[in-house]
Amino acid sequence: MKRKNSVVITSAERGLSEDQGRRAKKYFISMMFRTACFILTVILPSPYRWVALIFAVILPYFAVVIANAGRETISKPIQPQQEITKAIDE
């Protein structure tokens, strides 16, 4: 009789709610930086104003990409439990 592969608690992925919270926090921080860039666009003199405006316009794309880089980027560790299970089954 073959055993089902069990999940070792140290190899379990983070919970979905924890992952979503982390991504929302990254996105919020990026949008706060964007807001600061818009404020700096009004305050700064001309050459720096354009740099701040460019950051404010380009930042949403990168904020979404960074925030959405979530669960698929978590690499799964090698699980020695699988090797033990295979050895027992043989």
Side-chain angles (χ1 to χ4, degrees):
M1 180 187 322
K2 289 195 172 193
R3 289 181 166 186
K4 292 182 181 179
N5 289 339
S6 60
V7 176
V8 180
I9 192 66
T10 57
S11 67
E13 294 182 5
R14 290 186 174 133
L16 184 59
S17 61
E18 181 182 340
D19 186 47
Q20 287 175 340
R22 190 170 35 91
R23 288 190 282 159
K25 183 178 178 182
K26 286 180 185 180
Y27 185 77
F28 176 76
I29 291 170
S30 298
M31 289 300 104
M32 293 309 300
F33 183 72
R34 181 182 189 215
T35 303
C37 287
F38 274 123
I39 292 170
L40 289 175
T41 299
V42 174
I43 296 173
L44 293 175
S46 186
Y48 303 111
R49 173 180 301 171
W50 295 107
V51 174
L53 182 63
I54 289 170
F55 274 118
V57 170
I58 295 175
L59 189 63
Y61 170 76
F62 291 106
V64 169
V65 170
I66 291 170
N68 285 336
R71 299 181 76 81
E72 66 275 358
T73 60
I74 299 171
S75 62
K76 296 190 179 195
I78 298 171
Q79 297 180 1
Q81 184 70 21
Q82 289 178 350
E83 293 175 11
I84 294 170
T85 306
K86 286 179 186 176
I88 292 172
D89 289 339
E90 292 175 355

